[in-house]
Amino acid sequence: MDEAYDDGFVVYVRSRRDRQDPPEDSEWPVITCSSYEEACRIRETHRRQARDCVIRYVGPSGGGD
């Protein structure tokens, strides 16, 4: 398995988009954070500037037995 990214949370900023386009087409990454709490702080900073943001986990998912 190719691991291009370390575990982390990426904050993406969304621009206005056409409703027919997928949301990912109008997003760009701002920063990769090591914790969800840090990503939330960055997201709140951008929200104060009237920007729509989303946080995505980048890394292997898993768990289980």
Side-chain angles (χ1 to χ4, degrees), residues 7 10 16 19 40 45-48 51 55 62-65:
D7 292 358
V10 180
R16 296 197 182 272
R19 293 227 183 252
C40 287
T45 300
H46 284 281
R47 280 187 176 168
R48 285 187 211 121
R51 293 184 174 162
I55 298 172
D65 300 331

Side-chain angles (χ1 to χ4, degrees), residues 5 11 14-15 17 22 25 32 37-39 44 48 52-53 55-56 58 62-63 65:
Y5 301 99
V11 180
R14 288 183 175 168
S15 63
R17 65 183 179 88
D25 287 353
T32 301
E37 292 79 15
E38 181 184 5
E44 287 307 312
R48 285 187 211 121
D52 188 20
C53 296
I55 298 172
R56 292 208 178 98
V58 177
D65 300 331

Side-chain angles (χ1 to χ4, degrees), residues 19-33:
R19 293 227 183 252
Q20 296 174 358
D21 295 336
E24 296 82 16
D25 287 353
S26 63
E27 297 175 350
W28 66 93
V30 176
I31 191 168
T32 301
C33 303

